[in-house]
Amino acid sequence: MQNTFNLVLRNLPKASALGLLWLLTRLPFRLQMRLGSRIGDLIYRFHHKRRHIAEVNLRLCFPDTDPALRQKWLKAHFRSLGMTLFETGMAWWPKRHFPAKVKIEGLEHLREPLSQGQGVLMLGAHFTTLDIGGYLLSREQDFCVIYREHKNPLFESVMRRARTRNFQAAIQRRSLRTAIRHLREGQAVWYAPDQ
């Protein structure tokens, strides 16, 4: 308990932001998404470096696309990014009543080999929906996750606690032997390489 208290004191601004996020995730889902969208608009407006990187990526990936359409995509991206804050908070501190609009398709492709005792390596992209997608899938099927340890000890503590609560096991990405052991034991392991 003393270690947690000291960790919070050393990271008071970040701990306050996490506390605010926890509080905001208690709001109704639609309100969270509206607030997230507005936060995304602010990130778009004031985070010039991130905006420039996204603009360049869109221009390189879609050189023949109308610049006005690329600009529309850019703004939509930042709105989604803002919403991700709330989605991550919902995954870390889930409420009992989650929106019933979630439908997962294709679970039979995961469950069939698992039912035969075979391990399954699930590969996914490390997109902004990583935490919420993993949480929602974990409500339907047990699996392990491979994750990268966060540099900030406070964030690492919060993320590890959430991931060990939501998943069968949270395996640090350098623990390859542990991941292989889970696969050999007939479990599913999700790996989402960094972008």
Side-chain angles (χ1 to χ4, degrees):
M1 186 67 161
Q2 184 65 34
N3 287 343
T4 303
F5 182 72
N6 289 335
L7 186 61
V8 168
L9 278 181
R10 283 194 312 270
N11 293 277
L12 198 54
K14 290 178 177 135
S16 300
L18 286 171
L20 178 61
L21 179 60
W22 178 88
L23 254 165
L24 291 172
T25 61
R26 307 298 108 182
L27 293 172
F29 178 75
R30 288 180 188 219
L31 182 54
Q32 289 182 60
M33 293 301 100
R34 276 195 297 250
L35 283 171
S37 182
R38 293 300 142 285
I39 289 170
D41 287 338
L42 291 172
I43 296 170
Y44 169 83
R45 183 170 177 168
F46 295 110
H47 205 312
H48 303 289
K49 182 180 176 183
R50 285 281 162 209
R51 186 176 68 224
H52 175 71
I53 290 169
E55 285 171 336
V56 168
N57 286 339
L58 283 171
R59 189 172 58 250
L60 291 173
C61 292
F62 304 100
D64 299 330
T65 302
D66 177 43
L69 182 57
R70 283 199 312 256
Q71 188 66 20
K72 183 179 175 182
W73 291 346
L74 182 68
K75 288 181 178 180
H77 162 72
F78 278 95
R79 287 187 182 120
S80 291
L81 188 63
M83 288 185 252
T84 295
L85 292 171
F86 292 92
E87 291 171 343
T88 300
M90 285 185 273
W92 289 355
W93 306 292
K95 295 190 296 186
R96 285 187 193 163
H97 305 293
F98 200 83
K101 296 179 180 182
V102 176
K103 181 181 178 186
I104 298 175
E105 296 181 7
L107 277 173
E108 66 277 6
H109 303 295
L110 174 59
R111 290 179 174 160
E112 183 181 337
L114 291 174
S115 70
Q116 297 170 14
Q118 297 176 4
V120 176
L121 179 61
M122 302 185 303
L123 295 176
H126 192 191
F127 292 127
T128 54
T129 55
L130 180 72
D131 281 295
I132 194 68
Y135 167 71
L136 293 170
L137 181 58
S138 76
R139 292 173 38 174
E140 300 292 330
Q141 176 67 50
D142 285 337
F143 63 96
C144 308
V145 293
I146 296 175
Y147 78 101
R148 184 183 72 194
E149 190 172 339
H150 199 281
K151 292 176 184 174
N152 181 283
L154 177 64
F155 282 124
E156 172 59 22
S157 173
V158 170
M159 287 191 311
R160 186 178 330 145
R161 188 172 300 137
R163 289 174 178 160
T164 54
R165 180 179 55 240
N166 292 337
F167 307 114
Q168 222 170 356
I171 306 163
Q172 288 189 11
R173 72 175 176 172
R174 295 188 179 163
S175 301
L176 189 57
R177 289 176 195 238
T178 304
I180 291 170
R181 180 175 49 81
H182 283 282
L183 288 168
R184 285 185 176 154
E185 291 172 359
Q187 298 172 5
V189 176
W190 182 14
Y191 176 61
D194 289 333
Q195 295 175 0

